[in-house]
Amino acid sequence: MRIDVDRGRCIGAGMCALTAPEVFDQSEDDGLVVVLDAAPAPEHEAAVRRAATLCPSGAITL
């Protein structure tokens, strides 16, 4: 799995960081998504897929 994010589309809702905190965080500067691990381990894939689905702006693609 490879994660790409469009920070231009991100609205800082934080659903990704809440759903998959091992993989996503939010910037302290602007609150936008930060990818901690662009190629997460298989055990995080379900949470990453859920985070992408929950993202209200569609900023996360897999």
Side-chain angles (χ1 to χ4, degrees):
M1 168 182 288
R2 174 91 180 133
I3 301 169
D4 290 307
V5 297
D6 182 347
R7 287 179 49 88
R9 289 183 70 174
C10 180
I11 61 171
M15 293 306 298
C16 56
L18 292 171
T19 306
E22 305 84 4
V23 180
F24 300 104
D25 200 358
Q26 287 181 274
S27 168
E28 289 185 23
D29 294 331
D30 56 14
L32 301 180
V33 63
V34 174
V35 178
L36 302 175
D37 186 358
E43 61 265 20
H44 298 299
E45 285 188 17
V48 170
R49 288 187 191 285
R50 179 116 173 102
T53 300
L54 292 174
C55 179
S57 66
I60 302 169
T61 56
L62 308 175

